[in-house]
Amino acid sequence: MIDIKTKGVRDGDHWIISGEKCWITGGHYSDFLICTTRTSEKGLSHFIVDREEHGYESRNIEKIALNSQSTAQIFIAEARVPHTNMCGEEGIGLKNTVKEFEMARPHVGLLSIGLMRAALEETIAYATERKQFGKVIAAHQLVAAKIAEMATMLDASKLMCYRALSMIDMGIRCDLESSMAKWFATEAAVKVCRDAVQVHGGNGLTKEFNVERLAREAIVIPIPDGTTEIQKLIIARGLTGVSAFV
Ligand SMILES: Cc1cc2nc3c(=O)[nH]c(=O)nc-3n(C[C@H](O)[C@H](O)[C@H](O)COP(=O)(O)OP(=O)(O)OC[C@H]3O[C@@H](n4cnc5c(N)ncnc54)[C@H](O)[C@@H]3O)c2cc1C
Protein backbone atom coordinates (compact mmCIF):
# COMPACT_ATOMS: atom_id res chain seq x y z
CA MET A 1 0.00 0.00 0.00
CA ILE A 2 1.25 3.53 -0.79
CA ASP A 3 2.28 5.15 2.48
CA ILE A 4 0.48 8.52 2.13
CA LYS A 5 -0.24 9.94 5.57
CA THR A 6 -1.91 13.26 4.66
CA LYS A 7 -5.49 12.57 5.54
CA GLY A 8 -8.88 14.02 4.56
CA VAL A 9 -12.01 13.57 6.66
CA ARG A 10 -15.37 14.41 5.10
CA ASP A 11 -17.36 17.12 6.89
CA GLY A 12 -20.55 17.84 4.93
CA ASP A 13 -19.62 19.71 1.74
CA HIS A 14 -16.01 19.99 2.88
CA TRP A 15 -12.97 17.87 3.69
CA ILE A 16 -10.72 18.57 6.66
CA ILE A 17 -7.18 17.92 5.43
CA SER A 18 -4.14 17.56 7.68
CA GLY A 19 -0.62 16.35 7.04
CA GLU A 20 2.89 17.13 5.93
CA LYS A 21 4.52 16.85 2.49
CA CYS A 22 8.21 16.77 1.70
CA TRP A 23 10.19 17.59 -1.47
CA ILE A 24 7.36 19.48 -3.14
CA THR A 25 8.55 21.10 -6.36
CA GLY A 26 7.73 24.81 -6.46
CA GLY A 27 6.07 24.43 -3.05
CA HIS A 28 7.60 27.41 -1.28
CA TYR A 29 6.38 29.92 -3.87
CA SER A 30 3.10 28.22 -4.70
CA ASP A 31 -0.35 29.78 -4.31
CA PHE A 32 -1.99 26.36 -4.31
CA LEU A 33 -1.18 22.66 -4.05
CA ILE A 34 -2.48 19.62 -5.83
CA CYS A 35 -2.48 17.51 -2.72
CA THR A 36 -2.59 13.70 -2.69
CA THR A 37 -4.76 12.84 0.29
CA ARG A 38 -5.85 9.62 1.92
CA THR A 39 -9.67 9.78 1.89
CA SER A 40 -10.33 6.18 2.93
CA GLU A 41 -8.28 3.23 4.17
CA LYS A 42 -7.35 2.19 0.62
CA GLY A 43 -8.31 5.25 -1.42
CA LEU A 44 -6.35 8.34 -2.38
CA SER A 45 -7.85 11.51 -3.85
CA HIS A 46 -6.41 14.76 -5.14
CA PHE A 47 -7.48 18.19 -3.90
CA ILE A 48 -6.62 21.72 -4.88
CA VAL A 49 -5.62 23.38 -1.62
CA ASP A 50 -5.32 27.17 -1.76
CA ARG A 51 -2.63 28.78 0.40
CA GLU A 52 -4.72 31.88 1.24
CA GLU A 53 -8.20 30.41 1.30
CA HIS A 54 -7.52 27.13 3.11
CA GLY A 55 -4.10 27.78 4.60
CA TYR A 56 -0.83 25.89 4.50
CA GLU A 57 2.71 26.70 5.56
CA SER A 58 5.92 25.95 3.66
CA ARG A 59 9.66 25.78 4.25
CA ASN A 60 12.23 25.88 1.45
CA ILE A 61 14.75 23.01 1.54
CA GLU A 62 18.25 24.05 0.43
CA LYS A 63 19.69 21.66 -2.18
CA ILE A 64 23.11 21.20 -3.82
CA ALA A 65 21.61 22.02 -7.24
CA LEU A 66 18.40 22.30 -9.28
CA ASN A 67 17.90 25.65 -7.63
CA SER A 68 15.87 27.10 -10.50
CA GLN A 69 12.96 25.59 -8.57
CA SER A 70 12.14 25.49 -4.89
CA THR A 71 11.80 22.14 -3.17
CA ALA A 72 9.68 22.53 -0.08
CA GLN A 73 8.25 20.98 3.00
CA ILE A 74 4.53 21.71 3.34
CA PHE A 75 2.49 21.73 6.52
CA ILE A 76 -1.30 21.47 6.34
CA ALA A 77 -3.19 21.73 9.61
CA GLU A 78 -6.92 21.07 9.43
CA ALA A 79 -7.44 22.94 6.15
CA ARG A 80 -11.14 23.12 5.37
CA VAL A 81 -11.37 22.41 1.64
CA PRO A 82 -14.64 22.29 -0.34
CA HIS A 83 -15.57 18.95 -1.92
CA THR A 84 -15.71 20.78 -5.27
CA ASN A 85 -11.91 21.18 -5.02
CA MET A 86 -11.48 17.43 -5.43
CA CYS A 87 -9.80 16.70 -8.81
CA GLY A 88 -11.51 13.78 -10.49
CA GLU A 89 -13.40 11.12 -8.64
CA GLU A 90 -12.91 10.16 -5.02
CA GLY A 91 -10.46 7.26 -4.51
CA ILE A 92 -8.72 7.33 -7.91
CA GLY A 93 -5.70 9.35 -6.76
CA LEU A 94 -3.24 6.49 -7.14
CA LYS A 95 -4.36 5.77 -10.69
CA ASN A 96 -4.01 9.49 -11.55
CA THR A 97 -0.57 9.67 -9.94
CA VAL A 98 0.71 6.67 -11.90
CA LYS A 99 -0.59 8.23 -15.13
CA GLU A 100 1.13 11.53 -14.25
CA PHE A 101 4.42 9.70 -13.66
CA GLU A 102 4.20 8.07 -17.07
CA MET A 103 4.23 11.59 -18.55
CA ALA A 104 6.67 13.18 -16.06
CA ARG A 105 9.45 10.60 -16.30
CA PRO A 106 10.52 11.13 -19.93
CA HIS A 107 10.36 14.88 -19.22
CA VAL A 108 12.91 14.42 -16.42
CA GLY A 109 14.87 12.50 -19.07
CA LEU A 110 14.75 15.61 -21.29
CA LEU A 111 16.29 17.62 -18.46
CA SER A 112 19.14 15.10 -18.44
CA ILE A 113 19.53 15.47 -22.18
CA GLY A 114 19.99 19.24 -21.80
CA LEU A 115 22.69 18.67 -19.17
CA MET A 116 24.47 16.06 -21.31
CA ARG A 117 24.37 18.24 -24.40
CA ALA A 118 25.92 21.15 -22.52
CA ALA A 119 28.52 18.84 -20.95
CA LEU A 120 29.46 17.41 -24.35
CA GLU A 121 29.73 20.83 -26.00
CA GLU A 122 31.91 22.19 -23.17
CA THR A 123 34.07 19.06 -23.27
CA ILE A 124 34.65 19.18 -27.03
CA ALA A 125 35.53 22.88 -26.80
CA TYR A 126 37.96 22.27 -23.94
CA ALA A 127 39.53 19.08 -25.32
CA THR A 128 40.26 20.66 -28.69
CA GLU A 129 41.93 23.67 -27.03
CA ARG A 130 43.85 22.31 -24.03
CA LYS A 131 47.28 20.89 -24.89
CA GLN A 132 49.21 18.24 -22.94
CA PHE A 133 52.19 16.13 -24.04
CA GLY A 134 52.54 18.21 -27.19
CA LYS A 135 49.02 17.89 -28.59
CA VAL A 136 45.42 18.82 -27.80
CA ILE A 137 43.98 16.40 -25.26
CA ALA A 138 41.27 15.34 -27.78
CA ALA A 139 44.11 13.64 -29.65
CA HIS A 140 44.79 11.33 -26.68
CA GLN A 141 42.88 8.11 -27.25
CA LEU A 142 41.43 7.81 -23.74
CA VAL A 143 40.02 11.34 -23.94
CA ALA A 144 38.67 10.67 -27.45
CA ALA A 145 36.97 7.51 -26.14
CA LYS A 146 35.29 9.54 -23.37
CA ILE A 147 33.92 12.00 -25.91
CA ALA A 148 32.58 9.15 -28.06
CA GLU A 149 30.92 7.53 -25.03
CA MET A 150 29.38 10.83 -23.91
CA ALA A 151 27.89 11.46 -27.36
CA THR A 152 26.55 7.90 -27.61
CA MET A 153 24.93 7.98 -24.16
CA LEU A 154 23.33 11.31 -25.04
CA ASP A 155 21.96 9.92 -28.29
CA ALA A 156 20.63 6.71 -26.69
CA SER A 157 18.93 8.77 -23.96
CA LYS A 158 17.32 11.03 -26.54
CA LEU A 159 15.94 8.11 -28.51
CA MET A 160 14.50 6.47 -25.38
CA CYS A 161 12.83 9.69 -24.18
CA TYR A 162 11.46 10.51 -27.63
CA ARG A 163 10.06 6.97 -27.94
CA ALA A 164 8.16 7.27 -24.66
CA LEU A 165 6.92 10.77 -25.50
CA SER A 166 5.74 9.76 -28.97
CA MET A 167 3.86 6.80 -27.45
CA ILE A 168 2.15 9.26 -25.07
CA ASP A 169 1.29 11.47 -28.07
CA MET A 170 -0.27 8.43 -29.77
CA GLY A 171 -2.27 7.57 -26.64
CA ILE A 172 -0.37 4.30 -26.06
CA ARG A 173 0.35 3.33 -22.43
CA CYS A 174 4.11 3.25 -21.92
CA ASP A 175 4.87 2.89 -18.20
CA LEU A 176 7.81 0.59 -18.98
CA GLU A 177 9.29 2.71 -21.76
CA SER A 178 8.83 5.80 -19.60
CA SER A 179 10.65 4.20 -16.62
CA MET A 180 13.43 2.91 -18.92
CA ALA A 181 13.90 6.41 -20.37
CA LYS A 182 13.95 8.01 -16.92
CA TRP A 183 16.52 5.75 -15.31
CA PHE A 184 18.74 5.46 -18.35
CA ALA A 185 18.82 9.17 -19.22
CA THR A 186 19.26 10.44 -15.65
CA GLU A 187 22.04 7.96 -14.82
CA ALA A 188 23.65 8.67 -18.21
CA ALA A 189 23.67 12.37 -17.28
CA VAL A 190 25.47 11.60 -14.00
CA LYS A 191 28.18 9.71 -15.92
CA VAL A 192 28.45 12.14 -18.84
CA CYS A 193 28.66 15.24 -16.60
CA ARG A 194 31.18 13.50 -14.35
CA ASP A 195 33.29 12.64 -17.41
CA ALA A 196 33.06 16.27 -18.51
CA VAL A 197 34.61 17.28 -15.16
CA GLN A 198 37.30 14.61 -15.62
CA VAL A 199 38.27 15.87 -19.08
CA HIS A 200 38.54 19.41 -17.65
CA GLY A 201 41.03 18.15 -15.04
CA GLY A 202 41.54 20.55 -12.11
CA ASN A 203 39.68 23.28 -13.97
CA GLY A 204 36.57 21.08 -13.92
CA LEU A 205 36.35 21.40 -10.15
CA THR A 206 36.32 25.19 -10.16
CA LYS A 207 33.40 27.58 -10.36
CA GLU A 208 35.19 29.14 -13.36
CA PHE A 209 33.97 26.34 -15.63
CA ASN A 210 30.36 25.35 -16.13
CA VAL A 211 30.91 21.58 -15.87
CA GLU A 212 31.02 21.53 -12.05
CA ARG A 213 27.48 22.96 -12.01
CA LEU A 214 26.32 20.42 -14.62
CA ALA A 215 27.70 17.59 -12.48
CA ARG A 216 25.86 18.90 -9.41
CA GLU A 217 22.61 19.27 -11.35
CA ALA A 218 22.99 15.77 -12.81
CA ILE A 219 23.39 14.07 -9.45
CA VAL A 220 19.97 15.35 -8.33
CA ILE A 221 17.80 14.02 -11.13
CA PRO A 222 17.94 10.24 -10.60
CA ILE A 223 15.96 10.91 -7.39
CA PRO A 224 12.69 12.79 -8.14
CA ASP A 225 9.73 11.14 -9.92
CA GLY A 226 10.86 7.74 -8.64
CA THR A 227 14.50 6.83 -8.03
CA THR A 228 16.54 4.68 -10.42
CA GLU A 229 15.97 1.69 -8.14
CA ILE A 230 12.20 2.19 -8.24
CA GLN A 231 12.22 2.51 -12.06
CA LYS A 232 13.99 -0.85 -12.28
CA LEU A 233 11.41 -2.45 -9.99
CA ILE A 234 8.61 -1.08 -12.19
CA ILE A 235 10.27 -2.36 -15.38
CA ALA A 236 10.89 -5.82 -13.92
CA ARG A 237 7.34 -6.03 -12.54
CA GLY A 238 5.96 -5.10 -15.98
CA LEU A 239 8.02 -7.83 -17.62
CA THR A 240 7.56 -10.66 -15.12
CA GLY A 241 4.23 -9.81 -13.49
CA VAL A 242 6.00 -10.33 -10.15
CA SER A 243 6.42 -7.38 -7.77
CA ALA A 244 9.80 -7.10 -6.03
CA PHE A 245 8.77 -3.89 -4.18
CA VAL A 246 8.31 -5.50 -0.78
C1 LIG B 1 14.35 17.86 -6.50
C2 LIG B 1 13.22 17.01 -6.05
C3 LIG B 1 11.92 17.33 -6.37
C4 LIG B 1 10.84 16.55 -5.92
N1 LIG B 1 9.55 16.92 -6.21
C5 LIG B 1 8.52 16.24 -5.68
C6 LIG B 1 7.16 16.70 -5.83
O1 LIG B 1 6.90 17.73 -6.46
N2 LIG B 1 6.17 15.99 -5.26
C7 LIG B 1 6.41 14.87 -4.55
O2 LIG B 1 5.48 14.24 -4.05
N3 LIG B 1 7.68 14.41 -4.37
C8 LIG B 1 8.73 15.07 -4.91
N4 LIG B 1 10.02 14.63 -4.71
C9 LIG B 1 10.22 13.45 -3.86
C10 LIG B 1 10.81 12.28 -4.61
O3 LIG B 1 9.82 11.66 -5.40
C11 LIG B 1 11.44 11.36 -3.55
O4 LIG B 1 12.55 12.02 -2.98
C12 LIG B 1 11.85 10.04 -4.16
O5 LIG B 1 10.74 9.31 -4.60
C13 LIG B 1 12.64 9.20 -3.17
O6 LIG B 1 11.98 9.11 -1.94
P1 LIG B 1 12.78 9.42 -0.61
O7 LIG B 1 13.52 10.70 -0.78
O8 LIG B 1 11.82 9.30 0.51
O9 LIG B 1 13.87 8.27 -0.50
P2 LIG B 1 13.64 6.81 0.09
O10 LIG B 1 12.34 6.25 -0.40
O11 LIG B 1 13.91 6.84 1.54
O12 LIG B 1 14.81 6.03 -0.65
C14 LIG B 1 16.16 6.05 -0.21
C15 LIG B 1 16.95 5.07 -1.08
O13 LIG B 1 16.43 3.75 -0.91
C16 LIG B 1 16.04 3.22 -2.17
N5 LIG B 1 14.83 2.40 -2.02
C17 LIG B 1 13.66 2.74 -1.40
N6 LIG B 1 12.77 1.75 -1.49
C18 LIG B 1 13.38 0.76 -2.20
C19 LIG B 1 12.97 -0.54 -2.63
N7 LIG B 1 11.73 -1.01 -2.41
N8 LIG B 1 13.86 -1.28 -3.31
C20 LIG B 1 15.11 -0.81 -3.60
N9 LIG B 1 15.55 0.41 -3.22
C21 LIG B 1 14.69 1.18 -2.53
C22 LIG B 1 15.78 4.43 -3.06
O14 LIG B 1 15.92 4.10 -4.43
C23 LIG B 1 16.85 5.40 -2.57
O15 LIG B 1 18.07 5.12 -3.20
C24 LIG B 1 11.10 15.40 -5.15
C25 LIG B 1 12.43 15.06 -4.83
C26 LIG B 1 13.48 15.85 -5.26
C27 LIG B 1 14.89 15.47 -4.89
Side-chain angles (χ1 to χ4, degrees), residues 24-77:
I24 302 305
T25 298
H28 196 50
Y29 304 108
S30 62
D31 294 323
F32 66 88
L33 298 173
I34 297 173
C35 183
T36 311
T37 307
R38 182 162 299 289
T39 45
S40 67
E41 199 190 329
K42 288 197 176 153
L44 301 177
S45 307
H46 284 121
F47 289 92
I48 296 176
V49 181
D50 189 287
R51 189 189 284 267
E52 260 185 35
E53 210 178 317
H54 315 122
Y56 61 84
E57 302 285 323
S58 61
R59 176 183 80 85
N60 192 45
I61 303 168
E62 296 286 331
K63 308 187 292 300
I64 59 167
L66 212 70
N67 289 315
S68 56
Q69 56 172 242
S70 82
T71 303
Q73 197 173 1
I74 305 281
F75 308 91
I76 312 168

Side-chain angles (χ1 to χ4, degrees), residues 69-91:
Q69 56 172 242
S70 82
T71 303
Q73 197 173 1
I74 305 281
F75 308 91
I76 312 168
E78 300 196 347
R80 194 172 158 75
V81 180
H83 180 69
T84 48
N85 278 33
M86 187 182 276
C87 309
E89 287 166 41
E90 187 178 337

